[in-house]
Short mmCIF file of all heavy atoms in Angstrom, two decimals:
data_model
loop_
_atom_site.label_atom_id
_atom_site.label_comp_id
_atom_site.label_asym_id
_atom_site.label_seq_id
_atom_site.Cartn_x
_atom_site.Cartn_y
_atom_site.Cartn_z
N ILE K 19 0.84 -1.20 0.00
CA ILE K 19 0.00 0.00 0.00
C ILE K 19 0.87 1.25 0.00
O ILE K 19 0.64 2.20 -0.75
CB ILE K 19 -0.94 -0.01 1.22
CG1 ILE K 19 -1.97 -1.13 1.10
CG2 ILE K 19 -1.66 1.34 1.37
CD1 ILE K 19 -2.70 -1.44 2.40
N LEU K 20 1.91 1.23 0.84
CA LEU K 20 2.80 2.39 0.94
C LEU K 20 3.51 2.67 -0.38
O LEU K 20 3.57 3.81 -0.84
CB LEU K 20 3.81 2.14 2.06
CG LEU K 20 4.76 3.27 2.43
CD1 LEU K 20 5.18 3.14 3.89
CD2 LEU K 20 6.03 3.29 1.56
N VAL K 21 4.03 1.62 -1.02
CA VAL K 21 4.76 1.82 -2.28
C VAL K 21 3.81 2.30 -3.37
O VAL K 21 4.14 3.21 -4.14
CB VAL K 21 5.49 0.53 -2.69
CG1 VAL K 21 6.15 0.71 -4.06
CG2 VAL K 21 6.54 0.15 -1.66
N LEU K 22 2.62 1.71 -3.46
CA LEU K 22 1.65 2.16 -4.45
C LEU K 22 1.34 3.64 -4.26
O LEU K 22 1.38 4.43 -5.21
CB LEU K 22 0.36 1.35 -4.34
CG LEU K 22 -0.82 1.82 -5.22
CD1 LEU K 22 -0.47 1.67 -6.70
CD2 LEU K 22 -2.09 1.05 -4.87
N ALA K 23 1.05 4.05 -3.03
CA ALA K 23 0.68 5.44 -2.76
C ALA K 23 1.82 6.39 -3.06
O ALA K 23 1.62 7.47 -3.63
CB ALA K 23 0.23 5.59 -1.31
N ASN K 24 3.05 6.01 -2.70
CA ASN K 24 4.19 6.88 -2.94
C ASN K 24 4.56 6.95 -4.42
O ASN K 24 5.03 7.98 -4.90
CB ASN K 24 5.39 6.42 -2.11
CG ASN K 24 5.36 6.94 -0.70
OD1 ASN K 24 5.91 8.01 -0.40
ND2 ASN K 24 4.70 6.21 0.20
N SER K 25 4.35 5.86 -5.14
CA SER K 25 4.72 5.85 -6.57
C SER K 25 3.89 6.83 -7.37
O SER K 25 4.32 7.30 -8.43
CB SER K 25 4.53 4.44 -7.15
OG SER K 25 3.16 4.13 -7.34
N MET K 26 2.72 7.18 -6.88
CA MET K 26 1.79 7.99 -7.66
C MET K 26 2.11 9.48 -7.64
O MET K 26 1.49 10.27 -8.34
CB MET K 26 0.37 7.74 -7.14
CG MET K 26 -0.11 6.32 -7.43
SD MET K 26 -1.59 5.88 -6.52
CE MET K 26 -2.73 7.08 -7.19
N GLN K 27 3.12 9.88 -6.87
CA GLN K 27 3.43 11.30 -6.80
C GLN K 27 4.24 11.79 -8.00
O GLN K 27 4.33 13.00 -8.22
CB GLN K 27 4.20 11.61 -5.52
CG GLN K 27 5.60 11.01 -5.46
CD GLN K 27 6.31 11.38 -4.18
OE1 GLN K 27 6.70 12.53 -4.00
NE2 GLN K 27 6.44 10.42 -3.29
N ASP K 28 4.81 10.87 -8.75
CA ASP K 28 5.77 11.27 -9.79
C ASP K 28 5.64 10.31 -10.97
O ASP K 28 5.72 9.09 -10.79
CB ASP K 28 7.18 11.22 -9.20
CG ASP K 28 8.25 11.60 -10.19
OD1 ASP K 28 8.43 12.80 -10.44
OD2 ASP K 28 8.90 10.68 -10.73
N PRO K 29 5.45 10.81 -12.20
CA PRO K 29 5.26 9.93 -13.36
C PRO K 29 6.43 8.96 -13.57
O PRO K 29 6.21 7.79 -13.89
CB PRO K 29 5.13 10.89 -14.54
CG PRO K 29 4.67 12.18 -13.94
CD PRO K 29 5.30 12.24 -12.58
N GLU K 30 7.66 9.44 -13.41
CA GLU K 30 8.82 8.56 -13.59
C GLU K 30 8.87 7.48 -12.52
O GLU K 30 9.18 6.32 -12.81
CB GLU K 30 10.10 9.40 -13.59
CG GLU K 30 10.24 10.32 -14.80
CD GLU K 30 11.57 11.04 -14.80
OE1 GLU K 30 12.43 10.72 -13.96
OE2 GLU K 30 11.75 11.94 -15.65
N LEU K 31 8.58 7.85 -11.29
CA LEU K 31 8.56 6.89 -10.20
C LEU K 31 7.46 5.86 -10.44
O LEU K 31 7.65 4.65 -10.23
CB LEU K 31 8.33 7.62 -8.88
CG LEU K 31 8.61 6.89 -7.57
CD1 LEU K 31 10.04 6.39 -7.52
CD2 LEU K 31 8.32 7.81 -6.39
N ARG K 32 6.32 6.32 -10.91
CA ARG K 32 5.19 5.42 -11.20
C ARG K 32 5.57 4.41 -12.29
O ARG K 32 5.30 3.22 -12.17
CB ARG K 32 3.99 6.25 -11.67
CG ARG K 32 2.74 5.46 -11.93
CD ARG K 32 1.96 5.27 -10.67
NE ARG K 32 0.64 4.71 -10.93
CZ ARG K 32 0.23 3.55 -10.44
NH1 ARG K 32 1.01 2.84 -9.68
NH2 ARG K 32 -0.98 3.11 -10.69
N ALA K 33 6.21 4.90 -13.35
CA ALA K 33 6.59 4.01 -14.45
C ALA K 33 7.63 2.99 -14.00
O ALA K 33 7.56 1.81 -14.36
CB ALA K 33 7.14 4.84 -15.61
N ALA K 34 8.60 3.41 -13.17
CA ALA K 34 9.66 2.51 -12.74
C ALA K 34 9.14 1.43 -11.80
O ALA K 34 9.66 0.31 -11.79
CB ALA K 34 10.75 3.32 -12.03
N LEU K 35 8.11 1.73 -11.03
CA LEU K 35 7.62 0.79 -10.02
C LEU K 35 6.38 0.01 -10.45
O LEU K 35 5.94 -0.89 -9.74
CB LEU K 35 7.31 1.54 -8.72
CG LEU K 35 8.51 2.10 -7.97
CD1 LEU K 35 8.06 3.01 -6.83
CD2 LEU K 35 9.38 0.97 -7.42
N ARG K 36 5.83 0.33 -11.62
CA ARG K 36 4.57 -0.30 -12.02
C ARG K 36 4.69 -1.82 -12.08
O ARG K 36 3.83 -2.55 -11.56
CB ARG K 36 4.12 0.24 -13.38
CG ARG K 36 2.77 -0.34 -13.84
CD ARG K 36 2.40 0.19 -15.22
NE ARG K 36 2.16 1.61 -15.18
CZ ARG K 36 0.96 2.15 -14.89
NH1 ARG K 36 -0.06 1.37 -14.60
NH2 ARG K 36 0.80 3.45 -14.90
N GLY K 37 5.74 -2.35 -12.73
CA GLY K 37 5.91 -3.79 -12.85
C GLY K 37 6.05 -4.47 -11.50
O GLY K 37 5.32 -5.43 -11.19
N PRO K 38 7.00 -4.03 -10.66
CA PRO K 38 7.14 -4.65 -9.34
C PRO K 38 5.87 -4.54 -8.49
O PRO K 38 5.56 -5.46 -7.73
CB PRO K 38 8.30 -3.86 -8.71
CG PRO K 38 9.10 -3.38 -9.87
CD PRO K 38 8.10 -3.09 -10.96
N ILE K 39 5.14 -3.44 -8.61
CA ILE K 39 3.88 -3.29 -7.85
C ILE K 39 2.87 -4.34 -8.31
O ILE K 39 2.21 -4.98 -7.49
CB ILE K 39 3.32 -1.86 -8.02
CG1 ILE K 39 4.15 -0.85 -7.22
CG2 ILE K 39 1.85 -1.81 -7.58
CD1 ILE K 39 3.78 0.59 -7.46
N ASP K 40 2.75 -4.54 -9.62
CA ASP K 40 1.81 -5.53 -10.15
C ASP K 40 2.18 -6.94 -9.71
O ASP K 40 1.31 -7.75 -9.36
CB ASP K 40 1.76 -5.45 -11.67
CG ASP K 40 1.06 -4.19 -12.17
OD1 ASP K 40 0.43 -3.51 -11.34
OD2 ASP K 40 1.15 -3.90 -13.37
N GLU K 41 3.48 -7.25 -9.75
CA GLU K 41 3.93 -8.59 -9.35
C GLU K 41 3.64 -8.83 -7.87
O GLU K 41 3.17 -9.91 -7.48
CB GLU K 41 5.43 -8.73 -9.62
CG GLU K 41 5.78 -8.73 -11.10
CD GLU K 41 7.27 -8.61 -11.33
OE1 GLU K 41 8.02 -8.65 -10.32
OE2 GLU K 41 7.69 -8.46 -12.50
N ALA K 42 3.91 -7.84 -7.03
CA ALA K 42 3.66 -8.00 -5.60
C ALA K 42 2.16 -8.11 -5.33
O ALA K 42 1.74 -8.88 -4.45
CB ALA K 42 4.25 -6.81 -4.84
N TYR K 43 1.36 -7.38 -6.10
CA TYR K 43 -0.10 -7.45 -5.91
C TYR K 43 -0.61 -8.87 -6.21
O TYR K 43 -1.47 -9.39 -5.48
CB TYR K 43 -0.78 -6.45 -6.83
CG TYR K 43 -2.29 -6.47 -6.75
CD1 TYR K 43 -2.96 -5.88 -5.69
CD2 TYR K 43 -3.05 -7.08 -7.75
CE1 TYR K 43 -4.34 -5.89 -5.60
CE2 TYR K 43 -4.44 -7.11 -7.67
CZ TYR K 43 -5.07 -6.51 -6.60
OH TYR K 43 -6.44 -6.53 -6.54
N PHE K 44 -0.09 -9.49 -7.25
CA PHE K 44 -0.51 -10.86 -7.59
C PHE K 44 -0.17 -11.81 -6.45
O PHE K 44 -0.99 -12.65 -6.05
CB PHE K 44 0.16 -11.30 -8.88
CG PHE K 44 -0.14 -12.72 -9.26
CD1 PHE K 44 -1.37 -13.06 -9.83
CD2 PHE K 44 0.78 -13.74 -9.01
CE1 PHE K 44 -1.66 -14.37 -10.16
CE2 PHE K 44 0.50 -15.05 -9.33
CZ PHE K 44 -0.73 -15.36 -9.90
N ARG K 45 1.04 -11.69 -5.89
CA ARG K 45 1.44 -12.57 -4.79
C ARG K 45 0.54 -12.34 -3.58
O ARG K 45 0.08 -13.30 -2.95
CB ARG K 45 2.90 -12.32 -4.41
CG ARG K 45 3.92 -12.71 -5.45
CD ARG K 45 5.31 -12.81 -4.85
NE ARG K 45 5.71 -11.59 -4.15
CZ ARG K 45 6.31 -10.56 -4.72
NH1 ARG K 45 6.59 -10.59 -6.02
NH2 ARG K 45 6.66 -9.50 -4.01
N LEU K 46 0.29 -11.09 -3.26
CA LEU K 46 -0.50 -10.79 -2.07
C LEU K 46 -1.95 -11.22 -2.24
O LEU K 46 -2.58 -11.69 -1.29
CB LEU K 46 -0.43 -9.28 -1.78
CG LEU K 46 0.93 -8.75 -1.30
CD1 LEU K 46 0.95 -7.24 -1.34
CD2 LEU K 46 1.23 -9.25 0.10
N SER K 47 -2.49 -11.04 -3.43
CA SER K 47 -3.88 -11.44 -3.67
C SER K 47 -4.05 -12.95 -3.58
O SER K 47 -5.12 -13.45 -3.23
CB SER K 47 -4.33 -10.96 -5.06
OG SER K 47 -4.31 -9.56 -5.14
N THR K 48 -2.98 -13.68 -3.90
CA THR K 48 -3.04 -15.14 -3.87
C THR K 48 -2.94 -15.68 -2.44
O THR K 48 -3.67 -16.58 -2.05
CB THR K 48 -1.91 -15.73 -4.73
OG1 THR K 48 -2.03 -15.23 -6.07
CG2 THR K 48 -1.98 -17.24 -4.75
N THR K 49 -2.03 -15.08 -1.66
CA THR K 49 -1.76 -15.61 -0.32
C THR K 49 -2.44 -14.82 0.78
O THR K 49 -2.72 -15.36 1.85
CB THR K 49 -0.25 -15.62 -0.05
OG1 THR K 49 0.25 -14.27 -0.12
CG2 THR K 49 0.47 -16.47 -1.09
N LEU K 50 -2.72 -13.53 0.54
CA LEU K 50 -3.30 -12.61 1.51
C LEU K 50 -2.66 -12.77 2.89
O LEU K 50 -3.27 -13.29 3.83
CB LEU K 50 -4.82 -12.79 1.62
CG LEU K 50 -5.57 -11.60 2.28
CD1 LEU K 50 -5.34 -10.33 1.48
CD2 LEU K 50 -7.03 -11.89 2.41
N PRO K 51 -1.41 -12.36 3.03
CA PRO K 51 -0.73 -12.50 4.32
C PRO K 51 -1.40 -11.62 5.38
O PRO K 51 -2.17 -10.72 5.08
CB PRO K 51 0.69 -12.00 4.02
CG PRO K 51 0.53 -11.10 2.84
CD PRO K 51 -0.58 -11.68 2.03
N GLU K 52 -1.05 -11.90 6.63
CA GLU K 52 -1.62 -11.13 7.72
C GLU K 52 -1.10 -9.69 7.69
O GLU K 52 0.01 -9.42 7.24
CB GLU K 52 -1.28 -11.78 9.06
CG GLU K 52 -1.94 -13.12 9.29
CD GLU K 52 -1.63 -13.68 10.67
OE1 GLU K 52 -0.94 -12.98 11.45
OE2 GLU K 52 -2.08 -14.78 10.97
N GLY K 53 -1.92 -8.80 8.19
CA GLY K 53 -1.53 -7.39 8.28
C GLY K 53 -2.33 -6.73 9.37
O GLY K 53 -3.20 -7.35 9.99
N SER K 54 -2.04 -5.46 9.62
CA SER K 54 -2.80 -4.73 10.62
C SER K 54 -4.25 -4.59 10.15
O SER K 54 -4.56 -4.75 8.96
CB SER K 54 -2.20 -3.35 10.86
OG SER K 54 -2.40 -2.51 9.72
N GLU K 55 -5.12 -4.28 11.07
CA GLU K 55 -6.54 -4.09 10.73
C GLU K 55 -6.70 -3.01 9.67
O GLU K 55 -7.48 -3.16 8.71
CB GLU K 55 -7.32 -3.74 11.98
CG GLU K 55 -8.82 -3.60 11.77
CD GLU K 55 -9.56 -3.29 13.06
OE1 GLU K 55 -8.97 -3.46 14.14
OE2 GLU K 55 -10.74 -2.88 12.97
N ASP K 56 -5.96 -1.91 9.81
CA ASP K 56 -6.03 -0.83 8.83
C ASP K 56 -5.58 -1.30 7.45
O ASP K 56 -6.22 -1.01 6.43
CB ASP K 56 -5.15 0.35 9.27
CG ASP K 56 -5.77 1.16 10.39
OD1 ASP K 56 -6.99 1.02 10.63
OD2 ASP K 56 -5.03 1.93 11.05
N ASP K 57 -4.44 -2.04 7.41
CA ASP K 57 -3.90 -2.47 6.13
C ASP K 57 -4.85 -3.44 5.41
O ASP K 57 -5.03 -3.36 4.20
CB ASP K 57 -2.53 -3.14 6.32
CG ASP K 57 -1.46 -2.15 6.74
OD1 ASP K 57 -1.66 -0.94 6.53
OD2 ASP K 57 -0.44 -2.58 7.29
N VAL K 58 -5.42 -4.36 6.15
CA VAL K 58 -6.35 -5.32 5.55
C VAL K 58 -7.56 -4.58 4.98
O VAL K 58 -8.02 -4.86 3.86
CB VAL K 58 -6.79 -6.37 6.58
CG1 VAL K 58 -7.92 -7.23 6.02
CG2 VAL K 58 -5.61 -7.25 6.98
N ALA K 59 -8.08 -3.61 5.73
CA ALA K 59 -9.25 -2.86 5.27
C ALA K 59 -8.94 -2.08 4.00
O ALA K 59 -9.73 -2.08 3.04
CB ALA K 59 -9.74 -1.92 6.37
N VAL K 60 -7.77 -1.42 3.96
CA VAL K 60 -7.40 -0.64 2.78
C VAL K 60 -7.16 -1.55 1.58
O VAL K 60 -7.62 -1.27 0.46
CB VAL K 60 -6.15 0.22 3.07
CG1 VAL K 60 -5.61 0.85 1.79
CG2 VAL K 60 -6.48 1.30 4.09
N PHE K 61 -6.46 -2.67 1.79
CA PHE K 61 -6.17 -3.59 0.68
C PHE K 61 -7.46 -4.15 0.11
O PHE K 61 -7.62 -4.26 -1.12
CB PHE K 61 -5.27 -4.72 1.17
CG PHE K 61 -4.73 -5.58 0.06
CD1 PHE K 61 -3.70 -5.13 -0.75
CD2 PHE K 61 -5.24 -6.85 -0.18
CE1 PHE K 61 -3.20 -5.92 -1.77
CE2 PHE K 61 -4.75 -7.65 -1.19
CZ PHE K 61 -3.72 -7.18 -1.99
#
């Protein structure tokens, strides 16, 4: 969540992180690891 939110402030940063963000999202959506109540709600 933090990396996604921070990547959006800058077009170059967004482009550089888009692939790794997508890959991590796939892993997290598959396994859904534990997180804080806030993080689970936002995700």
Side-chain angles (χ1 to χ4, degrees):
I19 292 165
L20 185 152
V21 175
L22 173 65
N24 276 269
S25 74
M26 293 167 62
Q27 67 179 288
D28 180 79
E30 292 184 8
L31 195 57
R32 183 86 170 120
L35 291 171
R36 182 182 294 272
I39 286 173
D40 289 348
E41 292 169 6
Y43 178 77
F44 177 78
R45 293 196 306 271
L46 291 168
S47 298
T48 303
T49 61
L50 198 60
E52 292 184 2
S54 70
E55 183 178 345
D56 285 343
D57 291 341
V58 171
V60 170
F61 190 76

